[in-house]
Amino acid sequence: MVTGALGQIGSELVASLRKIYGNHNVLSTDLKDASEVDDEYYEKLDVNDTERISDLVQKHQIDTVYHLAAMLSATAEKIPMKAWDLNMNSLLHFLELAREKKISQLYWPSSIAIFGADTPKNNTEQNALAIPTTVYGISKRSGEYWCNYYHKRYGVDVRSIRYPGLISWKTLPGGGTTDYAVDIFYQALETGKYECFLSEETALPMMYMNDAIRATIELMQADPEKLSIRTSYNLNALSFTPKQLTEAIQKYLPDFEISYKPDFRQAIADTWPASIDDSIAQKDWNWKPEFDLDAMCKAMLENLKIKLGVES
Ligand code: NAD
Ligand code: SER
């Protein structure tokens, strides 16, 4: 079962899991009515509805859950209590189902947002000081502790990655601080101009979606004996500023122009690392990213040109 399956990550994770396990073995769930979703193996599920979660787990004999539904950083700052409710309570319910052995494996994503302004910015280590100052970061950090607790105390097989900002072309991102790095490609192709809500020198950790999906599946398939982290793994791929991303896009679209108008998301980004040390993921389950900045830009532009019907 995948929750939040219609989102930026879920839409791609479901497709990849179905290639491996077969369509009928992967149930996608999200808030939309089933009649609105073109997917035979979809069920409507609000993850605040714990009874419905339990019913669906039983009805479909679910053994593994990828619990993606959450409120992302920028939206969460507007409605902090709702974000806390959504991000925490549903995780606890799935952890309880795992403790009761109603499911056998749980995946739950954390984020680079667990770090804070006092964290060293470059090559941020797995166990670097992490005092998050956004509600999203607090919920992810707390969730990591709960995952670790359920693993250590009850032997629950819960696995997690601290995703960097994810860049993809299939589904738009849903209210994060790193969304600029997707929006910029749409605007570059459609209008040739982009007004960025972060300043030009704001470096953040980022990753192309193909790498993130592969990492997720590789972690879930890894030998549990080799996994030394049950909070959440640091994961690294790219680190760039809006200015560096612009220059990379200009190699393909030389007339592309950017301007900067930082908004409330700048304050969030300022508390996050610029790059991540993921040596433990490399060691424990052989993690290695494939997409560098240029390969990511090329893939984004090629795929979006087709999606948006833009002439070369
Ligand atoms: P998204 O916003 O694109 O998708 C979230 C999905 O959850 C949406 O389809 C939404 O309809 C659904 N949803 C919202 N409330 C729900 C509810 N009450 N019940 C059921 N579904 C609900 O998010 P995403 O980018 O796909 O992120 C998925 C997970 O990965 C989240 O936990 C997020 O914190 C984490 N993450 C994402 C990124 C990133 O850059 N995309 C980075 C770090 C971590
Ligand atoms: N991309 C996410 C966000 O900006 C990071 O978790 O909220």
Side-chain angles (χ1 to χ4, degrees):
M1 175 196 275
V2 179
T3 73
L6 300 179
Q8 191 195 6
I9 301 175
S11 54
E12 302 210 27
L13 180 63
V14 166
S16 295
L17 290 173
R18 284 183 176 164
K19 272 193 197 140
I20 301 171
Y21 300 109
N23 289 354
H24 64 291
N25 283 320
V26 181
L27 180 72
S28 69
T29 69
D30 206 302
L31 290 176
K32 278 192 182 165
D33 284 332
S35 58
E36 294 173 70
V37 180
D38 182 20
D39 179 353
E40 199 182 334
Y41 304 105
Y42 173 88
E43 293 257 22
K44 180 177 179 172
L45 171 64
D46 180 337
V47 296
N48 291 314
D49 185 346
T50 51
E51 217 170 293
R52 172 109 173 121
I53 293 178
S54 301
D55 289 350
L56 286 181
V57 164
Q58 202 179 10
K59 175 177 166 194
H60 294 278
Q61 296 175 300
I62 301 296
D63 60 0
T64 304
V65 173
Y66 291 78
H67 176 34
L68 305 182
M71 198 182 293
L72 276 82
S73 59
T75 311
E77 283 311 293
K78 295 179 187 158
I79 37 176
M81 287 304 112
K82 273 201 165 168
W84 175 258
D85 267 0
L86 171 61
N87 294 5
M88 289 312 305
N89 293 337
S90 53
L91 170 62
L92 287 168
H93 188 66
F94 282 115
L95 286 168
E96 275 292 288
L97 287 180
R99 181 182 68 76
E100 293 164 358
K101 306 212 181 314
K102 293 187 174 142
I103 57 172
S104 53
Q105 220 190 3
L106 176 62
Y107 177 79
W108 172 81
S110 183
S111 163
I112 50 147
I114 64 120
F115 295 112
D118 300 323
T119 307
K121 286 243 171 245
N122 294 307
N123 292 322
T124 302
E125 290 181 1
Q126 177 70 38
N127 291 320
L129 180 68
I131 307 177
T133 48
T134 62
V135 66
Y136 177 69
I138 297 169
S139 72
K140 291 293 182 186
R141 186 62 172 149
S142 309
E144 290 188 2
Y145 289 142
W146 278 115
C147 291
N148 194 48
Y149 177 84
Y150 271 77
H151 176 71
K152 298 269 184 280
R153 174 133 192 227
Y154 304 117
V156 163
D157 188 4
V158 53
R159 305 180 185 200
S160 177
I161 287 172
R162 291 172 182 158
Y163 291 131
L166 299 182
I167 299 164
S168 67
W169 58 270
K170 285 188 187 154
T171 306
L172 282 167
T177 302
T178 56
D179 292 10
Y180 93 83
V182 176
D183 300 343
I184 194 171
F185 286 98
Y186 281 80
Q187 291 299 319
L189 286 168
E190 286 180 328
T191 67
K193 290 190 178 110
Y194 181 62
E195 186 177 86
C196 185
F197 58 75
L198 297 182
S199 70
E200 64 181 327
E201 297 301 345
T202 308
L204 288 170
M206 301 277 188
M207 180 177 283
Y208 188 52
M209 186 63 82
N210 294 32
D211 275 336
I213 299 296
R214 188 170 53 79
T216 306
I217 293 172
E218 285 178 5
L219 173 62
M220 287 297 271
Q221 292 178 338
D223 177 355
E225 298 297 319
K226 299 214 165 119
L227 302 182
S228 61
I229 303 290
R230 293 295 184 148
T231 47
S232 187
Y233 277 96
N234 266 11
L235 207 66
N236 190 50
L238 312 169
S239 167
F240 54 76
T241 63
K243 188 170 175 221
Q244 288 165 331
L245 179 57
T246 301
E247 286 162 5
I249 293 172
Q250 282 167 340
K251 278 195 213 154
Y252 297 95
L253 301 171
D255 296 333
F256 173 56
E257 288 172 23
I258 189 156
S259 57
Y260 299 93
K261 194 175 176 198
D263 66 15
F264 73 101
R265 289 168 281 194
Q266 183 68 46
I268 300 176
D270 286 342
T271 69
W272 291 355
S275 62
I276 298 288
D277 170 37
D278 63 0
S279 45
I280 301 181
Q282 292 175 36
K283 181 169 149 283
D284 285 5
W285 42 282
N286 299 320
W287 162 246
K288 197 172 181 296
E290 280 174 4
F291 284 78
D292 63 14
L293 179 57
D294 185 56
M296 180 275 285
C297 285
K298 198 161 175 277
M300 283 295 289
L301 291 169
E302 279 175 7
N303 284 300
L304 276 179
K305 265 184 200 165
I306 297 166
K307 180 178 170 183
L308 301 173
V310 176
E311 303 273 307
S312 306

